[in-house]
Amino acid sequence: MTVNIGDVVPTFTRETGFANWNRYAAVNDEFVPIHMDDAAGEAAGNGGAFGMGNLQWAYLHNMLRSWIGETGEILSMEVQFRSPNVKGQTITAHGVVTAVEGDVVTLEVWTDQQDGIKLAPGTATVRMGK
Amino acid sequence: MPDTYMVPEVLAAIGRECSRTTSYPITASDIRKWALAVYWPEKPPQKFIDAEYATEDFDPFAWGPQKYESLLPEDDGSVIYRHGINEDALGIPKWDFIVGLNGGMDCQYGVRMHVGDVITDVKSVGQWSERPGKNGLMLMTRHVSVWTNQRGEEVKRTINTGISY
């Protein structure tokens, strides 16, 4: 696959809420009140329970993994968690190519919610599969 | 709220290795369940169902380690710190924070994790910093985590940033 600066990666989208978060808590032992209880989430200033940053991290990886192909590799990722993922949001992971050097590609990546507000912006580098 | 969080105890802690944690051997079920959770409600790619290797974000320490060892002489290691840093043993003051947030992650990946791998995680104190915010002075903690497998190959190197105010 030929990759060029400005190429857009196919997105990865999930509607989010307790059904996602509880499954993630179950594998990551992340039974933290702010992710499971609206009162705890509200006390933390988020209007209710909110999802794990690590799950958005996973969604970004899922997006890239699907794009780079079976023999591709994710080399690095850096993300800031800027805004909470609250119940009922549709979260989409995005990526846009910003640099290409041989088979190593640098991307701007981010998750956003259905209104386009970015939750977790960052960068990633991948090695494209053959 | 203090005038600064960069007190001598914090400055002395930066760069110190704090703990070494060893995972149980990774199982196919661990890999499969993790993938089912992060791809739900759709089915994960078949390679994760077959547990060819784990997703990069997989955490073999999630449900507790096989072995935990503090590297701080001031800490007897009797309490396992999941995030690996015993701030009390480092003498870091207990500030009265109202909010603690996961600020972000920065990760460099090495070799993949496979069934049977035993991962060792060495955690150290990264470069902490502070900056003024609308809610007052904010502390940015950074914890560095280096994972290697049983062959000594680096699996990943992560900096986790926490924000407190």
Side-chain angles (χ1 to χ4, degrees), chain A residues 13-90:
Chain A
T13 298
R14 289 291 182 269
E15 289 181 26
T16 56
F18 285 134
N20 316 66
W21 305 339
N22 289 356
R23 281 174 171 78
Y24 191 74
V27 294
N28 197 36
D29 189 14
E30 201 167 346
F31 296 99
V32 182
I34 53 174
H35 301 313
M36 312 196 72
D37 176 51
D38 282 333
E42 197 164 345
N46 289 297
F50 55 99
M52 300 83 169
N54 287 344
L55 186 53
Q56 290 186 60
W57 177 259
Y59 289 167
L60 288 164
H61 284 73
N62 293 352
M63 169 194 67
L64 290 178
R65 203 181 294 120
S66 172
W67 182 62
I68 61 181
E70 284 296 314
T71 58
E73 293 175 82
I74 300 173
L75 303 177
S76 68
M77 186 181 290
E78 165 272 321
V79 160
Q80 294 181 352
F81 298 116
R82 294 238 181 113
S83 188
N85 162 212
V86 297
K87 274 191 301 188
Q89 286 178 336
T90 298

Side-chain angles (χ1 to χ4, degrees), chain B:
Chain B
M1 186 174 294
D3 294 333
T4 181
Y5 297 116
M6 297 297 106
V7 296
E9 293 85 353
V10 167
L11 297 175
I14 290 170
R16 287 190 69 180
E17 288 192 347
C18 297
S19 64
R20 181 185 296 114
T21 309
T22 307
S23 78
Y24 287 102
I26 295 169
T27 70
S29 178
D30 296 335
I31 291 172
R32 190 176 300 123
K33 285 178 183 168
W34 189 280
L36 287 164
V38 300
Y39 278 94
W40 189 87
E42 292 176 19
K43 189 180 168 192
Q46 191 61 36
K47 61 188 169 187
F48 298 122
I49 298 293
D50 295 340
E52 285 178 29
Y53 56 89
T55 61
E56 297 82 358
D57 50 296
F58 171 75
D59 183 354
F61 300 98
W63 279 90
Q66 178 175 189
K67 184 179 174 189
Y68 175 85
E69 176 189 5
S70 174
L71 301 177
L72 299 172
E74 308 90 327
D75 177 11
D76 64 10
S78 59
V79 176
I80 294 176
Y81 290 80
R82 177 165 177 182
H83 298 291
I85 309 286
N86 180 347
E87 294 183 8
D88 289 344
L90 290 165
I92 293 172
K94 288 180 182 297
W95 288 294
D96 247 347
F97 294 117
I98 299 168
V99 174
L101 301 169
N102 182 353
M105 296 169 71
D106 185 343
C107 195
Q108 313 283 324
Y109 293 105
V111 300
R112 287 174 169 153
M113 292 177 277
H114 295 87
V115 171
D117 281 356
V118 174
I119 307 300
T120 297
D121 174 17
V122 174
K123 281 194 164 61
S124 58
V125 180
Q127 196 66 44
W128 290 23
S129 61
E130 62 187 5
R131 70 162 188 251
K134 62 182 179 185
N135 296 303
L137 190 63
M138 299 190 298
L139 172 66
M140 263 67 71
T141 60
R142 292 181 184 84
H143 295 169
V144 179
S145 180
V146 179
W147 291 9
T148 51
N149 64 19
Q150 67 277 14
R151 292 178 293 279
E153 298 163 325
E154 191 163 305
V155 171
K156 67 177 180 177
R157 182 175 293 260
T158 308
I159 301 172
N160 286 288
T161 300
I163 301 173
S164 302
Y165 53 86

